[in-house]
Amino acid sequence: MNKKVRKAVFPAAGLGTRFLPATKSIPKEMLALVDKPIIQYGVEEALAAGIEQIIIVTGRGKTAIEDHFDVSFELEANLERRGKKDLLAVARNVSNMVELSYVRQKEARGLGHAVLMARHLVGDEPFAVILPDDVIDAPVPCLKQMMDVFDQMQGSVLATQIVEGPAISAYGVLDGTAVDKNPRLMNVKGMVEKPKPADAPSKSAIIGRYILTPKIFELLEKTPLGAGGELQLTDGIKMLLESEKVYGYTFEGIRHDAGDKLGMLKATVDFALKRDDLGPQFREYLKSLSL
């Protein structure tokens, strides 16, 4: 194949029901983690990894995402008039961050369908998929780690984390064998969706980062609807295994599930504590609590 990964697809058409009532009018991707919407963390990760084009799959009621990454003339003029240079730089940095493309998913029909909607923009080249709910804090961006693996192996790469105990039942779990000389890399033979702990083929759980070859598109087009009557991406990847190599990669870093209320709270604490402007005072506040 010998192609570089240049494009990243962000599925962002979900309803965000776990965060109701907040998500009744606000896209879940726009919920703030400290002072940035969670989707911006994913976009920044993609850019830091060297991605050149970002494609966001949106749905009804998601125009706030487009507005966020667009120029806000009124806001910028107001900040400039008031001499708020620091805030003006923040606003302009977001709008100048990257050129984005948008495609509309008219109805929520699963992750596989959302990825398939981006086919005409991705074209015949490998691409990344980033789920905004998964915010990953890593010195080397998670996606960059995966792109390095793809460059070496020239096969699809699925991000995984090691999950111990009963919690494994909440994930898709990989079945495979370790790749020689790289303990973080697995040669995937199959995958099991939300197994009982005793039936899990490994401790390697799939999380929201993928690098996929373009063959996945033709396979998704003929993949039967799966759980919940939706087109499941994992079903398409299982079909991909029949003709291509797929690898699981246990990334270095900390993954926060910002699509879950408790996960969002934990992420907020962790990210706030790392901030120079917030960390010291916030740490003292936490110490003062009677827990």
Side-chain angles (χ1 to χ4, degrees), residues 240-252:
L240 186 64
L241 281 168
E242 298 174 9
S243 58
E244 293 185 4
K245 288 279 191 179
V246 177
Y247 299 93
Y249 175 71
T250 303
F251 63 93
E252 297 183 63

Side-chain angles (χ1 to χ4, degrees), residues 43 53-56 65 69 94-95 97-102:
V43 169
Q53 181 179 352
I54 289 174
I55 302 158
I56 301 182
I65 297 174
F69 290 105
V94 174
S95 57
M97 190 175 296
V98 65
E99 291 294 327
L100 295 101
S101 302
Y102 297 90

